[in-house]
């Protein structure tokens, strides 16, 4: 009887262990469920009404947020200039940049994605801890290649760069940031991003009313 | 007997769980507060890992083929602002009106027609880059679409054979032969370009049937219509780029260079 119980428990533990390893296992397996969920939310009829749009936006952001490592994204976008940031400045920049990226990309998705499908083309493991996942979004007006750079950290895969048609998000922001930081202080950049965020929010509110 | 089995089972269980599960669970929990105070990556050696990644990536991001000189920046900025106003004040309202009166199927047909008559550009440039497969694809597409596809308005080659055109132009051919971008230049109405791609555009005109239409006013008119029709599928793209950018001019410049580099490498 005791033996029986022990076996049952050990089987249960083994299952738990196996699922736990599988969870941190493959980059594609980490990427796919949230993206598929976002596509479902975008199509979901309950959010089609204009009054539901901000709720839909929040749900999408919560779904994909964990997928991206915004701290690394911010650091990479700063490049060598990150050394001139104090920890507090880096934190406030990361916060505002995270919100801004979320806003602008979700707005774009809301406007454009209706009946798109995402095809997962390939998963290249560059090293044990770095991977490149290639996807293709099929649209009526032409397919769009979206590739994700991912890395393994503490057993979890997360995205640190997105390339849309070959244009890297990090590189793009990096050139913009360096243009500002070349001449100006870190707080100027933070202020600029905060203003940009306000502009975006004002535009969204204007659309809704 | 029973108790020894029990101990054995427990040992097995522990040996499986400790290294994998507990280790991972601990990492998982640590990671949440790790992320919270990771501003300088000071926790548990994550600094090294971060810097490794940053080092690798930085080397790649700093690669010189993604940088471009901008010696005529004042001209470029002026034209950029002109194009921006032109888009919002002229082109966008015009295209919106056009979309309102033209069914999608017709706009797609016109798009197909223009893709078909610009076949020589893609064909010759694929040939110049020894890209044999695209040469075949373009030839079959042109033959099929010009006939069965009724002068190219319809696209049976893609519909039934999955033959998609691949964008090739003289600028890409120059790039293929190792010619660099030169410098960044913005043209009125045409937008972002580089010295190399501008020369390419001029050269491609000789392969574009539309540029042989006489008188030239009609040729310009056709090109204008082509742009309006093409833009009707792309309304919102420019707005999205502008919305996401802190400095739209720099964002467009960098985006153009990255996009072209990808095209050339393909």
């Amino acid at each position: 009887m005791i033996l029986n119980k022990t076996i049952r428990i050990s089987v249960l533990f083994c299952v738990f262990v196996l699922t736990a390893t599988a969870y941190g296992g493959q980059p594609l397996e980490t990427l796919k469920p949230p993206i598929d969920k976002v596509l479902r939310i975008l199509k979901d009829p309950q959010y089609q009404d204009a009054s539901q749009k901000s709720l839909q936006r929040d749900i999408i952001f919560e779904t994909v947020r964990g997928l991206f490592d915004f701290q690394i994204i911010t650091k990479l976008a700063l490049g060598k200039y990150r050394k001139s940031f104090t920890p507090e400045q880096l934190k406030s920049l990361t916060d505002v940049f995270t919100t801004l990226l979320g806003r602008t990309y979700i707005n774009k998705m809301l406007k454009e994605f209706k009946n798109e499908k995402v095809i997962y083309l390939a998963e290249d493991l560059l090293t044990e801890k770095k991977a490149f996942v290639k996807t293709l979004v099929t649209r009526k007006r032409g397919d769009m290649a979206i590739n994700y750079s991912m890395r393994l950290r503490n057993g979890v895969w997360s995205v640190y760069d997105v390339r849309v048609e070959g244009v890297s998000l990090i590189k793009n922001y990096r050139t913009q940031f360096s243009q500002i930081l070349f001449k100006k202080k870190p707080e100027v950049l933070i202020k600029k991003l905060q203003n940009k965020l306000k502009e975006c929010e004002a535009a969204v509110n204007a659309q809704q009313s | 007997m029973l108790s020894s089995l029990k101990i054995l089972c427990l040992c097995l269980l522990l040996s499986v769980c400790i290294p994998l599960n507990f280790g991972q669970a601990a990492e998982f929990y640590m990671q949440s507060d790790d992320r919270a105070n990771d501003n300088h990556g000071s926790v548990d050696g994550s600094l090294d890992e971060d810097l490794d990644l940053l080092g690798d990536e930085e080397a790649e991001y700093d690669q010189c083929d993604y940088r471009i000189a901008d010696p005529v920046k004042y001209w470029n900025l002026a034209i950029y602002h002109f194009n921006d106003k032109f888009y919002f004040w002229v082109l966008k309202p015009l295209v919106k009106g056009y979309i309102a009166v033209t069914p999608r199927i017709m706009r797609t047909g016109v798009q197909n027609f223009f893709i078909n008559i610009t076949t020589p550009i893609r064909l010759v440039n694929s040939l110049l880059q020894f890209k044999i497969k695209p040469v075949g694809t373009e030839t079959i597409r042109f033959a099929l679409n010009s006939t069965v596809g009724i002068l190219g308005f319809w696209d049976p080659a893609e519909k039934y054979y999955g033959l998609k055109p691949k964008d090739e132009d003289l600028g890409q051919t120059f790039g293929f032969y190792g010619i660099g971008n030169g410098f960044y230049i913005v043209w009125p109405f045409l937008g972002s370009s580089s010295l190399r791609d501008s020369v390419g555009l001029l050269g491609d005109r000789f392969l574009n049937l539309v540029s042989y239409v006489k008188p030239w006013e009609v040729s310009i008119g056709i090109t204008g219509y082509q742009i309006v029709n093409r833009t009707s599928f792309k309304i919102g793209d420019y707005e999205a780029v502008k919305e996401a950018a802190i400095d739209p001019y720099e964002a467009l410049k960098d985006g153009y260079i990255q996009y072209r580099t990808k095209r050339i490498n393909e």
Side-chain angles (χ1 to χ4, degrees):
Chain A
M1 197 55 204
I2 296 172
L3 176 70
N4 202 355
K5 206 177 169 187
T6 322
I7 290 173
R8 260 193 284 166
I9 291 174
S10 62
V11 166
L12 217 109
F13 261 92
C14 284
V15 168
F16 181 64
V17 169
L18 284 177
T19 43
T21 9
Y23 179 71
Q26 295 303 319
L28 187 58
E29 282 163 25
T30 318
L31 193 66
K32 204 168 178 287
I35 291 184
D36 288 346
K37 192 177 167 199
V38 168
L39 290 177
R40 276 199 303 278
I41 298 170
L42 285 168
K43 273 184 236 168
D44 197 333
Q46 66 164 316
Y47 299 118
Q48 295 313 313
D49 191 58
S51 61
Q52 298 294 308
K53 285 290 169 195
S54 80
L55 180 66
Q56 186 183 27
R57 208 187 309 271
D58 292 345
I59 294 175
I60 293 175
F61 193 40
E62 281 316 308
T63 312
V64 292
R65 196 189 175 119
L67 204 58
F68 294 88
D69 189 341
F70 286 108
Q71 256 139 17
I72 269 296
I73 289 176
T74 312
K75 281 185 195 167
L76 282 172
L78 283 175
K80 62 176 182 195
Y81 291 103
R82 73 176 174 277
K83 286 177 194 123
S84 50
F85 277 67
T86 65
E88 292 75 35
Q89 283 173 330
L90 200 59
K91 169 129 182 38
S92 48
L93 182 73
T94 309
D95 288 346
V96 67
F97 193 39
T98 303
T99 322
L100 187 68
L101 283 177
R103 283 281 150 154
T104 47
Y105 283 88
I106 291 166
N107 277 353
K108 188 173 160 64
M109 281 198 273
L110 286 178
K111 270 184 211 151
E112 291 188 27
F113 281 56
K114 281 180 186 84
N115 283 307
E116 279 69 15
K117 275 188 204 132
V118 174
I119 303 168
Y120 299 90
L121 295 174
E123 174 194 59
D124 301 335
L125 280 170
L126 305 173
T127 64
E128 267 176 22
K129 293 193 166 186
K130 262 162 78 175
F132 197 56
V133 178
K134 293 178 182 163
T135 72
L136 190 71
V137 180
T138 56
R139 310 181 298 173
K140 259 192 184 156
R141 45 195 269 198
D143 297 348
M144 188 161 66
I146 302 186
N147 299 336
Y148 299 85
S149 301
M150 297 179 79
R151 65 147 182 169
L152 184 68
R153 183 164 168 239
N154 298 335
V156 182
W157 285 94
S158 56
V159 177
Y160 66 86
D161 195 6
V162 183
R163 280 162 211 255
V164 181
E165 282 295 317
V167 180
S168 143
L169 170 99
I170 300 237
K171 262 183 213 145
N172 200 268
Y173 278 105
R174 201 178 167 108
T175 39
Q176 295 178 57
F177 285 3
S178 67
Q179 282 292 324
I180 296 165
L181 293 169
F182 177 58
K183 285 179 203 148
K184 298 196 174 89
K185 288 203 169 78
E187 53 264 36
V188 178
L189 180 69
I190 299 170
K191 192 81 210 148
K192 267 191 192 250
L193 264 79
Q194 282 164 345
N195 289 340
K196 184 83 203 175
L197 190 62
K198 273 185 206 142
E199 257 174 57
C200 283
E201 269 156 20
V204 169
N205 290 338
Q207 263 174 17
Q208 274 171 353
S209 56
Chain B
M1 174 64 194
L2 209 96
S3 66
S4 65
L5 246 174
K6 206 173 131 188
I7 290 167
L8 201 81
C9 273
L10 260 168
C11 281
L12 200 89
L13 216 146
L14 283 176
S15 67
V16 171
C17 287
I18 286 175
L20 272 172
N21 193 37
F22 282 69
Q24 207 165 46
E27 265 180 351
F28 196 77
Y29 286 116
M30 260 159 71
Q31 181 220 348
S32 52
D33 57 46
D34 185 36
R35 284 205 176 165
N37 12 303
D38 184 35
N39 291 322
H40 264 195
S42 50
V43 194
D44 66 48
S46 64
L47 179 71
D48 300 336
E49 215 181 302
D50 269 8
L51 288 181
D52 273 356
L53 178 88
L54 291 171
D56 280 10
E57 294 302 309
E58 246 155 36
E60 197 207 321
Y61 290 136
D62 283 337
Q63 259 176 25
C64 53
D65 50 326
Y66 289 109
R67 296 257 182 91
I68 187 165
D70 197 354
V72 287
K73 189 165 181 177
Y74 290 105
W75 154 275
N76 285 348
L77 268 170
I79 302 299
Y80 159 76
H81 285 295
F82 169 78
N83 284 345
D84 183 76
K85 296 285 175 287
F86 176 77
Y87 176 78
F88 285 108
W89 294 351
V90 183
L91 188 61
K92 196 175 170 185
L94 193 72
V95 170
K96 282 198 157 172
Y98 174 68
I99 293 172
V101 296
T102 323
R104 193 185 173 101
I105 184 163
M106 192 173 150
R107 286 188 286 126
T108 312
V110 172
Q111 173 94 328
N112 288 340
F113 173 78
F114 281 116
I115 291 175
N116 194 51
I117 58 163
T118 48
T119 300
I121 300 177
R122 294 187 302 275
L123 185 70
V124 170
N125 285 297
S126 300
L127 209 60
L128 288 172
Q129 296 173 55
F130 312 108
K131 292 181 176 165
I132 305 303
K133 208 178 152 205
V135 171
T137 308
E138 290 298 339
T139 315
I140 299 168
R141 276 184 58 88
F142 190 69
L144 200 66
N145 288 355
S146 306
T147 53
V148 185
I150 315 154
L151 292 174
F153 280 98
W154 188 46
D155 192 352
E158 181 173 345
K159 193 164 186 211
Y160 296 112
Y161 300 100
L163 297 173
K164 288 185 181 181
K166 196 161 161 293
D167 205 17
E168 291 291 351
D169 53 55
L170 200 54
Q172 292 180 51
T173 304
F174 289 151
F176 174 81
Y177 286 101
I179 299 172
N181 273 304
F183 56 85
Y184 183 65
I185 186 157
V186 185
W187 294 110
F189 309 112
L190 300 173
S192 297
S193 192
S194 68
L195 181 64
R196 175 194 69 202
D197 293 342
S198 304
V199 176
L201 275 178
L202 271 176
D204 281 333
R205 276 185 59 83
F206 291 103
L207 296 167
N208 190 349
L209 296 177
V210 176
S211 51
Y212 291 99
V213 173
K214 293 270 173 325
W216 62 270
E217 291 93 334
V218 178
S219 173
I220 297 275
I222 295 172
T223 308
Y225 177 57
Q226 184 182 358
I227 289 170
V228 167
N229 192 71
R230 191 172 56 206
T231 312
S232 77
F233 294 97
K234 290 184 177 170
I235 284 281
D237 282 5
Y238 175 62
E239 289 87 332
V241 171
K242 224 184 138 183
E243 195 192 58
I246 317 297
D247 182 340
Y249 172 80
E250 292 295 334
L252 279 174
K253 178 167 94 179
D254 174 75
Y256 178 77
I257 298 306
Q258 284 199 49
Y259 177 73
R260 291 296 290 178
T261 308
K262 181 207 172 213
R263 285 244 156 271
I264 290 163
N265 291 336
E266 265 179 4

